[in-house]
Amino acid sequence: MTNLTKNQHFVPRLLLKNFAQGENGAVQIYDSSRDVLRSPTNIRRVFAENYFYDDDNAIEHYLAQHIEGPVAQFIDAIVSSPKSLISRGNTELLGFIGAQLHRTPKALNTARDFIDKHLQLLQMDIEELNDFPTGSMPRNMLEMDNDRRLLAEGIVNGVRLFPLLEDLSWHVLLNSTDLSSMWFRH
């Protein structure tokens, strides 16, 4: 039996390691929802949830092998030489960005809200088409059997639709202050 990854990162460690400080690889996080600067925490414990994607590691392995693995060298090159020009047509980096836009708890909540709002619009249209009084039908919220399936489909679509990003210009932001880098959590 293979070991399953229980603690699954929605911000990949290949990014987090670049913000780690000290021997133990800790990052400091400003929690904007609580207005608190958290104590330094090891990157293994941040921006991750138990079985966030799946409990059989299919998505976890897909991300590692097809998204994070191929882009790791490009991320390392950007970090080591941030003023270097990033070339257009870098499909690995574009696929990574597309996946990243869809692999967070916020992205999952946005997808749920999108579906719920469209279900409400559909119910309103049914009321109008049948001459029912507005609001006469009970407003139902969609209950997903498997939210992680919605997350997985979003990730795959993000990767598949990377050509939509190809015409954008690349910009790398540099921290040229004396302050250490920090992640902001919303």
Side-chain angles (χ1 to χ4, degrees):
M1 183 173 151
T2 62
N3 291 336
L4 293 177
T5 302
K6 178 179 176 182
N7 187 41
Q8 299 172 349
H9 284 79
F10 46 87
V11 175
R13 287 180 288 178
L14 73 99
L15 292 179
L16 292 172
K17 72 179 183 180
N18 297 299
F19 295 89
Q21 300 171 344
E23 299 165 9
N24 65 355
V27 291
Q28 257 190 316
I29 298 173
Y30 173 71
D31 187 338
S32 61
S33 64
R34 295 186 182 104
D35 194 25
V36 173
L37 183 61
R38 293 187 187 174
S39 299
T41 307
N42 189 290
I43 62 172
R44 289 178 304 202
R45 298 183 54 208
V46 296
F47 301 107
E49 291 182 15
N50 289 341
Y51 301 113
F52 181 65
Y53 303 112
D54 52 30
D55 51 11
D56 64 359
N57 282 180
I59 299 299
E60 181 76 6
H61 288 156
Y62 172 80
L63 288 167
Q65 293 170 2
H66 301 285
I67 305 301
E68 296 171 10
V71 80
Q73 68 184 19
F74 296 104
I75 300 289
D76 289 343
I78 292 167
V79 170
S80 66
S81 181
K83 292 184 180 178
S84 296
L85 187 62
I86 302 171
S87 63
R88 288 186 185 262
N90 186 329
T91 57
E92 292 86 359
L93 191 52
L94 292 173
F96 174 80
I97 292 168
Q100 191 59 40
L101 291 171
H102 295 277
R103 68 183 275 192
T104 64
K106 174 84 170 164
L108 180 58
N109 287 335
T110 299
R112 284 187 200 126
D113 290 346
F114 178 83
I115 291 170
D116 287 338
K117 284 182 177 130
H118 279 77
L119 179 60
Q120 289 175 11
L121 289 173
L122 178 63
Q123 288 177 321
M124 289 169 57
D125 286 346
I126 291 171
E127 288 172 345
E128 185 179 330
L129 290 170
N130 289 291
D131 293 324
F132 295 157
T134 302
S136 63
M137 291 180 62
R139 296 289 182 237
N140 297 314
M141 297 297 286
L142 183 66
E143 280 191 37
M144 302 285 293
D145 288 350
N146 187 347
D147 278 356
R148 295 180 293 185
R149 170 90 190 238
L150 182 62
L151 186 66
E153 288 180 22
I155 292 168
V156 170
N157 281 332
V159 172
R160 191 173 56 88
L161 297 174
F162 80 83
L164 297 174
L165 303 173
E166 282 185 310
D167 65 338
L168 300 177
S169 297
W170 290 98
H171 299 276
V172 176
L173 303 177
L174 299 175
N175 177 9
S176 58
T177 69
D178 293 343
L179 299 173
S180 300
S181 300
M182 259 192 278
W183 278 91
F184 290 89
R185 185 174 186 149
H186 302 292

